[in-house]
Amino acid sequence: MVECSWVHSTLEQASIHDFKRVTEEKLRGVLCPEHRQRPRVRVIGTSIREAKLSVSGCCDRLMALANHALANQAIANR
């Protein structure tokens, strides 16, 4: 689940929403092969410029898979 704090402007809200959507899409297929768990993601910030992304998981293997997906996976149909 991705969490996002309150955002004041409509433009900033759209930017945070897009960031959240893209992050969710990138991590959609990521699953720990051993523990069958998904990464936990949290987005915190009042603007896209101040947004902080926190990813946690059950083990180092899941974290490696999640980081790889976030860094390398292209999103189709943006």
Side-chain angles (χ1 to χ4, degrees):
M1 170 180 249
V2 177
E3 297 178 20
C4 184
S5 63
W6 175 254
V7 181
H8 299 286
S9 76
T10 303
L11 178 59
E12 289 295 333
Q13 187 172 20
S15 296
I16 288 285
H17 177 73
D18 290 343
F19 180 72
K20 176 183 165 184
R21 182 186 53 78
V22 168
T23 302
E24 288 174 337
E25 287 179 25
K26 285 185 170 190
L27 293 174
R28 183 166 307 201
V30 177
L31 184 68
C32 176
E34 183 177 346
H35 303 110
R36 310 299 296 166
Q37 293 186 24
R38 299 197 180 280
R40 294 174 298 279
V41 179
R42 189 168 189 188
V43 177
I44 302 169
T46 57
S47 73
I48 194 66
R49 286 179 282 242
E50 296 175 1
K52 293 185 185 195
L53 178 68
S54 173
V55 181
S56 60
C58 59
C59 63
D60 290 341
R61 177 71 179 141
L62 177 59
M63 292 303 298
L65 292 170
N67 285 328
H68 179 74
L70 289 170
N72 299 310
Q73 188 178 44
I75 299 296
N77 301 322
R78 274 198 220 184

